Each structure stands twice: as structure tokens, then as C-alpha cells.
Amino acid sequence: MVRKIIPIVVIASAALSARAEEYTALPADYDYSKVSEYFTRCLQSQVLTNYSVSPFEDGGYAVSPDNIGTVSDNVWQLWADANKSFSEQKLNSGKTLNKLTKSASWSYDIPSDLEPWFQIAHTWENPPEPVREFARMKYILGSKGTLDGPAPMFINIHGSGVVKDEWSMAQEVCRTDHDTPKIYFIAQIPNGCWIDGYSWYRWFQRSKQWVWEKVFRQAFLRSEIDPNGLFFIGISEGAYGSQRVGSFYADYLAGIGPMAGGEPLTNCPPENMRHVAFNLRTGEKDNMFSRDVYTRYVGEYLDRLSEKYPGDYPHMVKIEPGQPHSLVQYNQGTTPWLMDYRRNPVPKHVCWENYPMDGRYRDGFYNLRVFKRSAPDDDTQGRGYYEMDIDDNNVIDMRVSVVVEDVLQWDNSYYGTGLPLYINKQYTPATTGRFKIYLNDRLVDMTRPVTLILNGQKIFEGVVTPTLEDVVNSIADYYDPERIFTASIDVDIDNMTAGAAVAGIEDVTADGCDAPAVYYNLQGIRVDNPVRGRMYIRRQGATATRVIY
């Protein structure tokens, strides 16, 4: 039987025309300067806070499985080089890491459109600093113990008293703990004040998000720091901040350690902390702002999640008997417990409630990248909720919902408007939205067909192929050496369609090949009885081609 080979790569769904270009083999002499220029534009966008760079596109180049490791390494090095040459404040000014006892302070200057600097009498700076337009986050960065290799880094955020006193206490707590080796990033709040009824003494605000994302990006480029060993810890206001920021950035973290806190769960969905270690300790007598009540509640909530997803929600939530707000030995029950955990950067089972923090949503989480949210921007009308499970048969079961919270009980102890205490969540299947599922060989077997089921309906089946675009875009999206993805599936919920670059090779496998031939239509769906004269994707052994049967 004669089969005519058409040497182009097809796209599994014509509905996603943005990917309907031909994919060709990446040439050996490819000009990588285009990638470097793109990375520089991405860095400029992040510094300017507009995040407006479009995805990288350059001819739709496919990469062979044998070469994908080399290409990924090369592109990551280009990212590292772009960061190194980019003019910005570097973590620790790019200098060698010192011991914590000898560390000087460094700082990040926050763009003035995110947070101005207020020089007023009660700013708690003593003495006041010179007049400037921008807020400045100071920090201490230093190591404890002997670093024989990459070590975990704990980001410590302090409480809401007098700034210089709180920052000093945070440093003392870090210097006097005993579990090593580790690295500490000890932050100082830029503005410890209220202006026109608004408190800038909050760690979750957009201005601080700008800092945290810079810290993640730069930490991933430091050889001393374990990319799977980032933690957020904090006391009091820092406890609220670490719990809230931790849920928002859970995909970057190995663990979260609030101390003497307890945040309303509407601000920090526990679902997001799947695979992330969570340790919360609050005193039995720490009743102000219902800290003890919120602490008990998050423990009960995580217990229920642990029953539903055994082993996926490691947590230790404890009410310390007889203790007030000022816990004895803050870190002694927190960091030693957290030190046993490391991040899983590419889990096959993900839960993500995409909630706004200071009005801003994340565009990505683990291997998911959202282009159109499934819920309105108005948070009162619900939030997008994504649940992904990948099994050993290359089946991706994706459920996308809109989740609406009902407040079962309000806490009116300290605020006239009240804080949501106990909540219930209602989930409705999403009817709109667009997102990308990034893939690599840690998530699926790239040599076999991948099946995607969305809200109970199969919308894709096919062998996805690695592309240069996915390597570049995943690095630009997450700036994470542990999350370099080589392929992807684009999903359109509005039309219930999905598209991917499907493997296509110019070589022809002889009819005598021992492996059986399997055929798929141009939508990526397997065809058991192909019809003569029609076009299919033919898979035989490790070879896939587009053929007329």
C-alpha cells in the first residue's frame, strides 16, 4: 500500500487558528538572538510593571525529542544571560552570599506607580530618610550553617509594630534558630503608616507582589539557592501575609510558616496549597482579631482536604497551650518542621482557585497558563477554579469551574463590616475561558498519544510535539528552571475545542516495521477503520507522519 507523505505538522483543532501555522524542524543554525531580544523585552515589561509582552512566535519550529534537552538548556542559558546583562537591582547586588551574622542590608526600589514613599512624622522611620519618590524595601540576605550545595531560602516578613523594632526582632529570631543549613531573606516593610485611611503596612499589596516576583526570578539564578526550597514565614502581620501570599504563589513554594496569625480563608484558598507544606502555630490566648478561631478553622479545612486527597496536603496546625500573641521560641516549631519538605514543581494533580490579591490575578499556576478567565473580574461573582489530574495512561482530566463562596458566619469582633469566618463553596462548570496546558516528559509520555478530557468531554487526542515556542514561553511565563515545558495544548472552553502541535516527521517508516500502525484524524481522534484516499496522522513506533491512506 502506497502512502503519500506531506512533510508538515498539523494542528489538532482548526478552531484555534492562532496555532494553525506549519511547524518545521528547528534548523541547526537557528539564530537565537531573537530569543535573547524577546527575553530582554520581557524583563523590561516586568520592571515597568505593565507585563504586556505577547507570547514568543518565530516560525513554529518543532524540536526533535533527541534534541529537546539541549535546546531547553540553551534557551535557559539565554534567559540567565539576559538577566545578568539587564540593568536592575540584583538580589544581594549579585555579590557572594555572606553569613547571616555578617550580612549588610540591601534594597529594592519599588516603582512609584505601585507605591510612593511617605515621609511623615509617624512613618516610624527613625530618623526619617531623605525625600524620594519611590518606596524602598530593605532586606537582609545571609546563610546559616555550611552550604555544601543549594540550600533552602526562607523569606521572613515581620509584624506590624514599629518598623525598625519589628525588623530587628525578625533578624534576631532568624539568627538564633538552630536548624541549618539555610538562607534567610528578611524583609522590611517600606511604609509603616496609614495614608488617607489606607494602610501600606500589608505584605500582599501589588507593590510587594512586584518585589516577590523579582525575588523568585533572581533566586532561581543563584547557585546557592535551592529552586525547590523557597518558603514564606512570618509573625503576626507577617503571618497574615505569609498565608495570603503563600496561597497566591503556592506553585513557587515548598512551604509556608505563619506564626501567631490566622487569615480569613476567602483571602487565601487552602486548595491552592496542594503539595505545599503548611505550618501554623498560634497561642491559645491569642484571641484578638479571632486569630485562635481562624487558626483552628484552617486546620479543620486542611484536614478535610487531606481526607479527599490523601497525602497531598501536608500540614501541622497547632494551638499552643497557654501562649499569648507573643509566642515563645517562634521559629523552633516552624522551620525545623518545614525543612523536611521540598517543592514538587510539576505535580500531576493540581487544584487552583485563581483569586485576586489586591485586585490582581495570576496568569499562571504550575503548568497552567490562563489567557481568558472563566469568571468575571468582579470577585463577588465568583472565581475560576482549575483541577487537573494526569494518569499513567496519558489522560489529562481537566475540570474548570466558577466557584462562588457563601459566608456561613461573620466575625464582627473588631471590624464594623465584619470578616468572613466560616465559608461554603459552590462550583459550577465554566462555560467560557481560554488557557494553555504546558507539558513535558515529567507529566506525560511524549512518545504516546495524549488524551484531554474537559469537564467530562473528550476534546483532544494526539501525540504532541516539542516546540521552541513552548520552551521560550514557559521560561518567560514562570522564570523557573524546574518548569521548562516543551509542548502544550491550547484549550478554548467557549467552543469546547483544543489544539496542539501534533508530531509530524518527514521520514517514512518502511511497511516492514514491527510496530503496529495507528491512525488519527486531523482533530487528533483515533480512527480504527481508516478510509482509502482520506488524510490521517499515522503513528508507527516512534514515528508520526501526515499521510493520505
Side-chain angles (χ1 to χ4, degrees), residues 312-506:
D312 284 1
Y313 284 91
H315 65 280
M316 196 278 280
V317 179
K318 184 179 181 182
I319 297 293
E320 297 286 0
Q323 292 292 308
H325 185 51
S326 54
L327 285 172
V328 176
Q329 295 183 325
Y330 280 111
N331 266 10
Q332 301 312 312
T334 302
T335 57
W337 187 86
L338 291 172
M339 285 280 284
D340 289 336
Y341 293 91
R342 288 295 178 271
R343 176 180 67 142
N344 177 2
V346 284
K348 292 188 175 184
H349 308 283
V350 171
C351 293
W352 177 32
E353 184 173 317
N354 190 10
Y355 69 101
M357 194 163 72
D358 196 20
R360 178 173 175 250
Y361 292 84
R362 290 282 307 278
D363 290 328
F365 195 77
Y366 285 115
N367 64 316
L368 304 177
R369 177 73 165 86
V370 172
F371 298 100
K372 177 185 175 184
R373 288 192 294 277
S374 295
D377 289 345
D378 181 0
D379 188 41
T380 62
Q381 299 182 47
R383 304 168 176 179
Y385 184 72
Y386 303 80
E387 189 166 3
M388 180 192 76
D389 291 292
I390 302 178
D391 67 18
D392 293 337
N393 295 316
N394 268 19
V395 176
I396 305 173
D397 186 3
M398 195 83 211
R399 283 88 67 201
V400 183
S401 309
V402 175
V403 54
V404 176
E405 289 183 353
D406 298 320
V407 179
L408 302 180
Q409 182 177 335
W410 291 86
D411 174 18
N412 298 306
S413 303
Y414 294 92
Y415 295 95
T417 55
L419 291 173
L421 182 53
Y422 300 115
I423 58 176
N424 182 54
K425 297 184 178 184
Q426 302 291 335
Y427 297 87
T428 304
T431 58
T432 188
R434 289 188 300 109
F435 65 98
K436 180 189 294 290
I437 304 171
Y438 279 119
L439 298 171
N440 60 20
D441 57 9
R442 297 170 69 178
L443 289 170
V444 296
D445 181 350
M446 299 284 286
T447 68
R448 297 164 50 209
V450 174
T451 300
L452 173 61
I453 298 172
L454 176 62
N455 289 348
Q457 180 178 333
K458 183 166 77 171
I459 62 171
F460 175 86
E461 187 175 35
V463 180
V464 297
T465 196
T467 70
L468 177 65
E469 290 175 357
D470 284 323
V471 173
V472 173
N473 285 321
S474 63
I475 291 175
D477 285 343
Y478 308 115
Y479 32 86
D480 188 340
E482 297 291 319
R483 281 191 284 173
I484 299 177
F485 297 105
T486 57
S488 67
I489 300 175
D490 289 322
V491 183
D492 186 337
I493 300 176
D494 297 68
N495 300 304
M496 290 298 286
T497 57
V502 178
I505 306 172
E506 294 187 14

Side-chain angles (χ1 to χ4, degrees), residues 297-325:
Y297 182 40
V298 71
E300 295 166 0
Y301 201 107
L302 287 169
D303 287 345
R304 291 194 295 271
L305 287 174
S306 293
E307 291 176 4
K308 185 176 182 180
Y309 307 101
D312 284 1
Y313 284 91
H315 65 280
M316 196 278 280
V317 179
K318 184 179 181 182
I319 297 293
E320 297 286 0
Q323 292 292 308
H325 185 51

